[in-house]
Amino acid sequence: MSLIDARQLDPEAEIRTEICVVGAGAAGITLAGELVGTPHDVCLLEGGGFHPDGETQALYDLECAGYPVRENFMSRARYLGGSCNLWAGRSMKLEEADLARRDWVPATGWPIPYAELGAHYRRAADILGLPPLERFDWRSYTGKMSGVEHSLFSEEPLKPTVSLWAKRPMRFGAAFRSRLRRSRNVRLILYANVTNIVLNGDGTAVESLEARTLAGHRLTIRARTYVLACGALENARLLLVSRDRHATGVGNRFDLVGRYFMDHPRTVHGQVRLAPGCRLPLLRGHPLPGGKVQLGMGFSPHAQRTEGVLNHYATLEARFSQYVEASYQSFVQTMKVLLRRGYAGSRWDVGRGRFSDIPGMIYLLTPRELTPHFVYRWHYAFRNLVRRQAQGGTCMVVYFCEQPPDPESRVTLGADRDRLGMNKLVLHWRIGDEVTRSVLRLQEVLRRRLTAAGIGELESPDAEVRFTDASHHMGTTRMSDSPRTGVVDTDCRVHGLANLWVAGSSVFPSAGHANPTLTIVALALRLAELVKREARD
């Protein structure tokens, strides 16, 4: 591999390649990794370096004009490996119902069959280092369930959801760096921030990309095939700012770029007073030989349809006392530093951070996610030994919510510009009443079923439901059969452009219930096949 620092190139350098991939996160690195060893010359562009730095990270600054997101929180990372450098590792599969058109949820329905996505899940799970794909089937855990867990899921309308963790979260930059270095056909260019997509004269294909460094160097990249893999926010921004040929931006003929922005709203709402001696080995989290698993509680597809609700699910997490809540921030920071998780001292700025919303942090990072696998197995065994003598206890109820597609939930270009001269984004995040209604309906069902199963009593707070974001940015370049309803086609190629493709969760037509990383990798594997086929033609 040719490793190139764009800051060391000539001030007006030009790079020629066959396939150019913009963005070295989960999608971009997976795609480039699939092209290693092929006859194709590949250039992988990354805006940062091997490690985070404040000046480069500031290029992600944006204005929030809608529902508030977490303050002083680093939701994206602009260095090799991308935002998976911040990822705690929770992986979930989308379900067939997540891709289906649902009459009670407008603008849903993926234009590709579930089987086509599912065909890539096994390989994606292997790349992420997860337990075998069969471990996503909740029925594989029936032998480990306690009696009350069996009772909870014995009838409609509840079904289990499955979250898996690898032994450690995948850090794409570190994991793929050696493979890319050994490659003879992939060049990695660091500190190359793409600022403009240049189209040909009739606006039907990309002619080149313009990139800049913070040091003032300019770089032109010419290729046959271009893939944007910068994340949902940056993919949209780059298309919107590129207005040399089209006044509204690239791929934006029908004003769809940036629209349908989605996240997974989350809330801690209510607590369960557990019955004495209640055992919840799968609902509280269980170690596996290859990682960890936790079951959640959601509506079955039949119940979603008959109730007219979204695909939410809930988990039970440890209740922190007032004393523990007060000290939780120091625990999180200490564990991050000791374990070198890749975001210590940067995901939260300790000097200016405000830790007033401790419950929102409790479910974000639990002992499952902060501790190494071998430590967690010891912790699990010790916890169970102690609980044999325990009487009752309390768990917090954490809701992970599907956000339905909404064209008014979007990102737009603001008037302010960053150091590279690009317009900063304005985020207009909208959470509709249907999200809250689905939470309250799920809570009502859980109250009845938890009591009936002998697990305990669910107590609801009097306060309104208050959400936080999950940093699961999706939907700004959605996939659709028609350019009137989406930005990219079923192959993830931008409508109307012969050689521009988009990778990552920005192409998701709907969010579903699942954390997006596994699906991002699966779609990148699918796109790699399409790009290789295109390159051979």
Side-chain angles (χ1 to χ4, degrees):
M1 175 190 73
S2 298
L3 174 60
I4 301 171
D5 186 329
R7 300 171 300 180
Q8 306 303 318
L9 294 172
D10 292 337
E12 299 290 337
E14 180 173 298
I15 299 289
R16 291 186 176 270
T17 188
E18 187 177 356
I19 301 170
C20 178
V21 180
V22 184
I29 289 181
T30 297
L31 180 58
E34 291 299 292
L35 296 171
V36 169
T38 67
H40 311 297
D41 184 66
V42 180
C43 182
L44 177 62
L45 304 180
E46 169 54 46
F50 289 126
H51 307 286
D53 73 81
E55 290 186 336
T56 299
Q57 188 63 34
L59 297 173
Y60 275 157
D61 288 350
L62 52 72
E63 175 189 347
C64 293
Y67 197 95
V69 298
R70 285 169 286 181
E71 295 185 44
N72 302 314
F73 188 82
M74 184 176 170
S75 64
R76 298 176 288 161
R78 201 176 179 108
Y79 65 101
L80 186 67
S83 297
C84 276
N85 288 304
L86 314 177
W87 183 44
R90 182 190 293 264
S91 295
M92 303 180 76
K93 284 175 57 180
L94 286 173
E95 301 168 344
E96 194 163 359
D98 289 318
L99 271 65
R101 182 178 178 273
R102 289 169 279 167
D103 294 338
W104 65 98
V105 187
T108 51
W110 290 45
I112 60 174
Y114 183 76
E116 189 169 339
L117 172 64
H120 299 283
Y121 267 143
R122 185 175 302 277
R123 179 83 190 290
D126 289 343
I127 288 174
L128 293 174
L130 294 169
L133 192 68
E134 290 73 22
R135 286 299 197 173
F136 279 107
D137 185 345
W138 69 268
R139 290 165 293 192
S140 68
Y141 303 103
T142 54
K144 296 184 182 296
M145 284 186 180
S146 66
V148 293
E149 289 175 328
H150 275 290
S151 179
L152 179 67
F153 297 116
S154 62
E155 61 183 57
E156 288 276 347
L158 292 183
K159 67 165 179 59
T161 61
V162 179
S163 298
L164 291 181
W165 287 261
K167 288 186 176 180
R168 60 186 62 84
M170 168 58 69
R171 302 292 181 238
F172 278 85
F176 279 77
R177 188 169 170 179
S178 295
R179 185 181 180 194
L180 293 173
R181 179 181 285 116
R182 293 193 302 268
S183 171
R184 297 182 178 181
N185 68 304
V186 177
R187 286 175 286 175
L188 173 62
I189 304 182
L190 301 175
Y191 299 103
N193 301 280
V194 176
T195 56
N196 191 32
I197 302 169
V198 181
L199 302 184
N200 60 7
D202 57 7
T204 59
V206 178
E207 186 175 272
S208 66
L209 301 178
E210 295 176 354
R212 295 181 59 186
T213 73
L214 288 173
H217 292 68
R218 297 179 181 270
L219 180 65
T220 300
I221 303 96
R222 301 187 185 277
R224 288 180 53 193
T225 299
Y226 301 85
V227 182
L228 301 185
C230 312
L233 297 179
E234 290 303 300
N235 282 345
R237 178 161 74 143
L238 190 51
L239 292 172
L240 289 171
V241 299
S242 302
R243 300 187 170 189
D244 295 347
R245 291 287 181 267
H246 301 303
T248 58
V250 172
N252 199 30
R253 178 183 173 191
F254 295 100
D255 188 27
L256 291 172
V257 174
R259 291 190 183 272
Y260 297 98
F261 172 83
M262 296 171 289
D263 205 313
H264 284 125
R266 298 181 177 181
T267 184
V268 180
H269 197 73
Q271 62 183 17
V272 178
R273 295 195 179 276
L274 300 176
C278 179
R279 291 184 58 250
L280 304 172
L282 275 302
L283 288 172
R284 296 294 301 276
H286 188 81
L288 300 173
K292 309 160 193 175
V293 63
Q294 184 184 27
L295 296 188
M297 304 163 289
F299 283 118
S300 69
H302 176 263
Q304 292 173 44
R305 183 170 57 254
T306 57
E307 296 266 1
V309 294
L310 298 164
N311 196 3
H312 294 359
Y313 73 99
T315 64
L316 299 180
E317 304 294 348
R319 181 184 185 277
F320 283 68
S321 67
Q322 186 175 12
Y323 169 78
V324 175
E325 287 181 5
S327 61
Y328 186 73
Q329 61 161 311
S330 61
F331 166 71
V332 171
Q333 293 297 329
T334 300
M335 290 302 294
K336 287 179 179 179
V337 172
L338 291 176
L339 300 176
R340 292 176 171 83
R341 304 296 286 200
Y343 42 57
S346 60
R347 187 167 187 167
W348 284 297
D349 185 342
V350 181
R352 61 189 176 96
R354 296 187 304 182
F355 295 89
S356 58
D357 185 22
I358 297 298
M361 297 166 58
I362 290 171
Y363 72 78
L364 177 68
L365 292 171
T366 66
R368 276 189 308 279
E369 298 161 319
L370 282 169
T371 54
H373 184 255
F374 77 93
V375 175
Y376 176 71
R377 290 177 69 90
W378 173 86
H379 163 79
Y380 181 86
F382 178 76
R383 184 185 71 186
N384 284 349
L385 179 64
V386 171
R387 281 183 183 157
R388 289 175 188 170
Q389 309 300 324
Q391 297 295 311
T394 304
C395 286
M396 307 302 293
V397 186
V398 182
Y399 294 89
F400 299 76
C401 306
E402 177 186 17
Q403 179 185 347
D406 177 356
E408 297 307 314
S409 183
R410 63 186 301 196
V411 291
T412 59
L413 297 180
D416 293 342
R417 295 178 182 265
D418 63 21
R419 283 187 55 189
L420 299 176
M422 294 182 70
N423 299 82
K424 294 183 179 181
L425 285 177
V426 180
L427 174 59
H428 311 264
W429 187 31
R430 284 168 50 110
I431 301 178
D433 293 340
E434 64 272 37
V435 177
T436 301
R437 185 176 67 83
S438 295
V439 166
L440 296 177
R441 180 57 183 143
L442 179 56
Q443 187 165 75
E444 183 180 339
V445 171
L446 285 176
R447 181 181 293 107
R448 173 172 53 84
R449 293 295 302 136
L450 290 168
T451 300
I455 292 175
E457 301 293 328
L458 192 157
E459 300 173 350
S460 302
D462 294 330
E464 65 177 301
V465 180
R466 184 164 60 97
F467 296 102
T468 63
D469 62 293
S471 302
H472 297 168
H473 305 148
M474 300 168 282
T476 57
T477 64
R478 69 196 319 251
M479 185 195 310
S480 176
D481 288 320
S482 168
R484 294 184 178 275
T485 53
V487 177
V488 303
D489 63 17
T490 56
D491 289 342
C492 296
R493 192 196 317 249
V494 175
H495 284 293
L497 292 174
N499 62 344
L500 180 60
W501 314 62
V502 180
S505 54
S506 68
V507 307
F508 288 17
S510 56
H513 79 296
N515 290 45
T517 306
L518 179 66
T519 301
I520 288 172
V521 175
L523 284 176
L525 293 171
R526 174 180 179 268
L527 181 55
E529 293 179 355
L530 297 171
V531 168
K532 285 188 283 188
R533 187 184 312 150
E534 179 89 0
R536 288 195 299 267
D537 294 342

